[in-house]
Amino acid sequence: MNNSNTAKTITNISAPFDVERFRKDFPILNEQVHGKPLVYLDNAATSQKPKQVIESLDAYYRETNSNIHRGVHTLSEQATAIYEKARGKVKEFINSDSIKEIVFVRGATEGINLVAQSFGRNMLKPGDEIIITELEHHSNIVPWQILSEQTGATLNYIPINDAGELILEEYEKLLSDKTCIVAVGHISNALGTINPIKTIIDKAHAVGAKVIVDGAQAVPHTRVDVRELDCDFYVFSGHKLFGPTGIGVLYGKEAILESMPPYQGGGDMIQTVSMEKSTYNALPYKFEAGTPHIAGVIGLGAAIDYVDQLGLEAAAQYEIELLDYADEQASQVPGLNFVGTAKNKTSILSFTLDGIHPHDIGTILDGEGVAIRAGHHCAMPVMERFNIPATARASFAFYNTRQEVDALIQAIDKCQKVFN
Amino acid sequence: MSKGIQLMFDIKDLYQEVIVDHNRSPRNFGRLENADTTLEGFNPLCGDKLTLYLKTNSGKINEIAFDGSGCAISVASASLMTDAMKGKSLDEAEILFNQFHNLVTTDDDYDAESLGKLVALAGVKDYPARVKCASLCWHTLHSALQGDNAPVKTE
Ligand SMILES: Cc1ncc(COP(=O)(O)O)c(C=O)c1O
C-alpha cells in the first residue's frame, strides 16, 4: 500500500500539477456570487468537496443505508463493511499501526475534548502542568482550560515571535518533570505557520509528557505519518480534507487508548450490560458510543481516496508556489500588512489594510465574488499578540489558481477605492 | 443557482459616501468627561468594541459621545447615532431606536424625515452578517437609557 502510494506520488511530481483537471471535480467552483465567478479562498474554514465525495454520500443513502455493527441483514453488513473499510483508509493515510488506533469523532474539536476528559482528567493532579501555545485555535485552548480547572493542573503557553513562530527556547524553559501533556497545532489556522512538531514531540517525550497534535489544518496540506512523528494523539476534521462536516478522526497510540476509560456511554461501546455493571467493547469501539455518522465516515473514505489519487505531495508543492505568488502580489499593494511571516508556512495569507477594518474587506471582497474570512479566526490570543482585533485571511487549496489570486488582488484594490 | 439575488449589485449601496465619511472622521468621538452614564458594547464575533458616554438632564440627552474601534459600519453608525441623539428626549430616543431597528432589519417603509442621515445605513439589511455591526451602538444606548449597567453584547 505504502509502496504504491510512493510510486503514484513520484509520477505526479514529475508531471506539472494539472489544476484545471482537478477543478472539474468540484461542482461548486462553477457557482457565481453577486454575478461574479466564485473565488473560494476560505479553505482553512472548510474545504470544498469533489464530486467523488458527494456521490459517495448519495450512493450510500440510495443503495446501502442501514445501521452498522448490529444487523445480520445484507444492507447492514454492506454498510458495516464500507464503514470499516474507510477506517482502514484513515489508518493507511496517517500510517498508523492498527485500526484500533483510529477513533471516529465529530471533528478535531471533539477529538481534543475526548483526550482532555478521558486521558487528562484521570491522570492530572494539582501542580501538574499542561503546555499549549499562543498560536492555538480555541478548540485547542478551551478544553485545556476546562481540564486545568477540573484538576488543578497549571496551563502554560509557548509564546510566539513577531513572525508568528513558536519560540522553542521558551518551550524548553516550560518543560519539566511536572509537564504531563503538550497540546500543539501542526499548522496554525490564523497565520499558516508550520510548527516543528517533531522537535516538540521529542522534547516532550524526554520529560515523560504525552503529546496531542491538532492536525486540522495540516492533513489537507502535508503528508502526516503518526509513527514517524511518534505523537501520542493526532486529531483532524474531515471537512477540511475535502470530506463531509460532522466527521473527524482521533488517532491515539493503542496502549494509551487501552488505558483510558470511555468518553461517552451508550450502544456499540459495550460488550455486555447488566443492571449492575457493563463491560466495554474493544478498541476503537470503546470510544464510539451510539450510531456514528456512517455517511460521514464513508464520505471521509472517499475524500482520502481522492487525495491519494491527487498526490498530496504534488498538491502541496503547487500550493507553496501559489502562496509565493500571492505573497509577491500582495507585497505590492500599498497599505497592506502581512500578519504572520513565518519562514515555514503554507496556504494562508493573513493581512490587514491601513484604515480599513477586516470586516469591511470581507464584505467588499464578497461583492467581487471573492470569499475570504475576516475576524479573529477562533484564535483570539494570536490577535492579542499582534495587537489587532482581526485580520482578513485568504486560505488556499490545490484547486485555487493564479487567476484567482489576481482576482483577490483586484478586489483588494476595489476596497481601497471604496474607502479612499 | 446564483447567490446574492439582487439584480444590480453595487457595494456602494452599503458603503455610501456618508458612511465612508463618518468612518473616516467620526463625529462625537472621544471620551466625555463627567458623563453620568458610561456603557460598553461588544460584538464578540467581530471584536468590535465601543464605549458610549452620556450626559442626561431632565429627561433629555444633553451630550453624547463614543470611542472604541470597529468596522466602518459600526463606527459610522455610532457617529450618526450620536449626532442624531443630541438634544433628544428619552421618549424621542426610544422612538428613533425602534425606527432604526426597523430600517436595518425589515423591508417595511420608513420615515425618511425623522431618520435623516441614518437612512444611509438602510443597505445593511441586505447583509445579515453586518446588521450587528450597525446595531451595536444602538443596543448599547438602549441599555444605557434603560439603566442597565451590564456591558452589552450582540450575541
Ligand atoms: C487549527 C484548528 N484546530 C481545530 C479546529 C476545529 O475544527 P472543527 O471545528 O472541525 O472541530 C480548526 C477549525 O477551524 C482549526 O483550524
Side-chain angles (χ1 to χ4, degrees):
Chain A
M1 191 74 201
N2 276 330
N3 287 342
S4 72
N5 271 347
T6 326
K8 254 187 269 167
T9 308
I10 289 165
T11 27
N12 270 326
I13 283 179
S14 52
F17 186 76
D18 189 355
V19 59
E20 288 307 327
R21 184 186 127 210
F22 294 116
R23 280 180 75 81
K24 292 202 181 81
D25 293 329
F26 291 79
I28 208 168
L29 298 179
N30 295 321
E31 289 290 311
Q32 302 230 319
V33 173
H34 299 302
K36 313 238 166 68
L38 168 66
V39 174
Y40 187 76
L41 301 179
D42 195 17
N43 294 286
T46 197
S47 61
Q48 297 302 348
K49 322 303 172 198
K51 60 178 191 281
Q52 290 84 340
V53 167
I54 300 168
E55 283 161 10
S56 75
L57 301 176
D58 189 72
Y60 165 68
Y61 281 124
R62 282 177 193 277
E63 295 157 19
T64 325
N65 178 52
S66 183
N67 212 328
I68 54 165
H69 296 148
R70 50 188 86 173
V72 292
H73 61 79
T74 303
L75 285 190
S76 174
E77 280 172 357
Q78 283 175 349
T80 305
I82 27 178
Y83 180 88
E84 289 303 330
K85 195 166 162 205
R87 196 190 305 275
K89 289 176 190 173
V90 174
K91 165 190 164 293
E92 294 293 325
F93 182 62
I94 59 172
N95 198 27
S96 133
D97 259 330
S98 155
I99 54 149
K100 291 183 188 165
E101 299 181 322
I102 308 299
V103 177
F104 288 122
V105 288
R106 275 196 300 139
T109 303
E110 190 174 53
I112 297 165
N113 278 280
L114 191 161
V115 172
Q117 290 302 310
S118 174
F119 177 72
R121 197 163 179 186
N122 282 288
M123 181 182 73
L124 295 188
K125 12 176 232 323
D128 285 345
E129 295 181 2
I130 306 165
I131 298 179
I132 65 172
T133 89
E134 255 179 31
L135 267 182
E136 298 313 305
H137 187 279
H138 295 164
S139 62
N140 202 23
I141 299 176
V142 185
W144 306 114
Q145 289 175 334
I146 294 173
L147 180 64
S148 80
E149 267 178 35
Q150 288 166 333
T151 60
T154 311
L155 183 58
N156 292 317
Y157 291 77
I158 309 173
I160 54 177
N161 63 22
D162 290 339
E165 297 162 321
L166 296 177
I167 305 175
L168 290 183
E169 301 78 63
E170 297 298 322
Y171 172 49
E172 286 181 32
K173 286 187 213 153
L174 291 173
L175 280 170
S176 73
D177 55 6
K178 289 192 201 141
T179 313
C180 293
I181 297 175
V182 175
V184 57
H186 193 162
I187 295 181
S188 151
N189 70 307
L191 307 180
T193 312
I194 305 175
N195 289 323
I197 52 167
K198 180 66 185 145
T199 309
I200 291 173
I201 292 164
D202 290 346
K203 288 189 192 300
H205 285 167
V207 299
K210 299 288 187 247
V211 183
I212 171 167
V213 179
D214 170 4
Q217 293 296 339
V219 284
H221 301 295
T222 179
R223 179 66 68 187
V224 171
D225 182 331
V226 291
R227 270 191 277 181
E228 188 187 307
L229 286 174
D230 196 29
C231 52
D232 301 287
F233 301 99
Y234 196 98
V235 299
F236 63 92
S237 298
H239 69 96
K240 300 196 202 253
L241 185 67
F242 320 106
T245 54
I247 191 67
V249 172
L250 162 66
Y251 157 84
K253 282 183 181 161
E254 185 177 341
I256 304 177
L257 288 178
E258 203 65 77
S259 72
M260 288 159 51
Y263 177 52
Q264 293 179 329
D268 246 16
M269 54 74 70
I270 45 80
Q271 220 142 41
T272 59
V273 176
S274 74
M275 294 210 280
E276 292 75 37
K277 187 167 168 54
S278 303
T279 56
Y280 304 130
N281 205 340
L283 288 177
Y285 310 106
K286 180 169 87 177
F287 292 107
E288 292 181 4
T291 300
H293 184 8
I294 305 170
V297 168
I298 290 167
L300 176 60
I304 289 175
D305 285 344
Y306 187 83
V307 168
D308 277 343
Q309 61 86 37
L310 174 77
L312 200 47
E313 288 83 352
Q317 183 57 37
Y318 172 80
E319 287 169 1
I320 288 172
E321 287 161 18
L322 191 65
L323 182 65
D324 281 348
Y325 179 70
D327 278 348
E328 197 182 291
Q329 298 299 309
S331 66
Q332 290 167 27
V333 176
L336 183 146
N337 316 298
F338 291 92
V339 184
T341 48
K343 277 194 259 354
N344 207 359
K345 68 177 277 193
T346 186
S347 297
I348 284 175
L349 170 60
S350 225
F351 64 95
T352 60
L353 293 177
D354 290 344
I356 309 179
H357 193 280
H359 285 118
D360 298 311
I361 302 174
T363 298
I364 296 170
L365 263 52
D366 178 62
E368 302 299 300
V370 179
I372 59 149
R373 171 105 185 252
H376 52 57
H377 318 298
C378 296
M380 288 169 94
V382 176
M383 300 298 116
E384 217 171 284
R385 169 66 174 73
F386 288 100
N387 204 10
I388 45 180
T391 76
R393 178 190 71 184
S395 53
F396 303 97
F398 64 82
Y399 44 67
N400 291 124
T401 63
R402 287 184 172 220
Q403 291 87 310
E404 290 182 310
V405 171
D406 295 341
L408 167 71
I409 301 294
Q410 276 164 22
I412 291 174
D413 187 50
K414 168 108 185 208
C415 279
Q416 297 186 314
K417 290 214 173 80
V418 169
F419 280 94
N420 292 314
Chain B
M1 248 199 22
S2 163
K3 320 242 166 17
I5 322 111
Q6 301 113 298
L7 287 177
M8 294 285 290
F9 175 81
D10 188 351
I11 199 73
K12 297 259 183 187
D13 292 344
L14 179 64
Y15 292 101
Q16 301 198 3
E17 220 26 70
V18 181
I19 293 179
V20 172
D21 171 45
H22 276 254
N23 175 53
R24 192 181 300 135
S25 16
R27 324 293 196 263
N28 315 305
F29 189 83
R31 170 186 208 93
L32 195 62
E33 298 305 330
N34 316 320
D36 50 31
T37 310
T38 301
L39 195 63
E40 280 177 23
F42 181 48
N43 181 341
L45 193 67
C46 322
D48 288 354
K49 246 182 229 169
L50 68 85
T51 307
L52 198 62
Y53 307 95
L54 281 168
K55 255 192 226 178
T56 48
N57 198 345
S58 45
K60 239 174 140 177
I61 299 173
N62 279 353
E63 285 183 66
I64 178 167
F66 77 102
D67 61 17
S69 73
C71 64
I73 305 296
S74 75
V75 170
S77 184
S79 172
L80 288 162
M81 178 190 82
T82 47
D83 256 359
M85 285 294 175
K86 242 179 265 171
K88 289 260 183 318
S89 74
L90 300 189
D91 288 344
E92 288 166 338
E94 181 70 18
I95 291 169
L96 196 56
F97 171 81
N98 287 322
Q99 285 181 323
F100 183 79
H101 190 72
N102 284 338
L103 177 76
V104 295
T105 58
T106 72
D107 283 326
D108 298 354
D109 288 343
Y110 50 81
D111 179 352
E113 202 176 320
S114 47
L115 282 162
K117 281 190 178 174
L118 291 166
V119 169
L121 285 157
V124 166
K125 66 167 165 283
D126 294 327
Y127 297 84
R130 307 304 300 274
V131 171
K132 280 181 185 156
C133 308
S135 39
L136 175 64
C137 59
W138 291 83
H139 286 295
T140 309
L141 175 67
H142 197 234
S143 295
L145 295 178
Q146 310 265 316
D148 290 347
N149 297 320
V152 175
K153 282 197 190 149
T154 53
E155 308 267 285

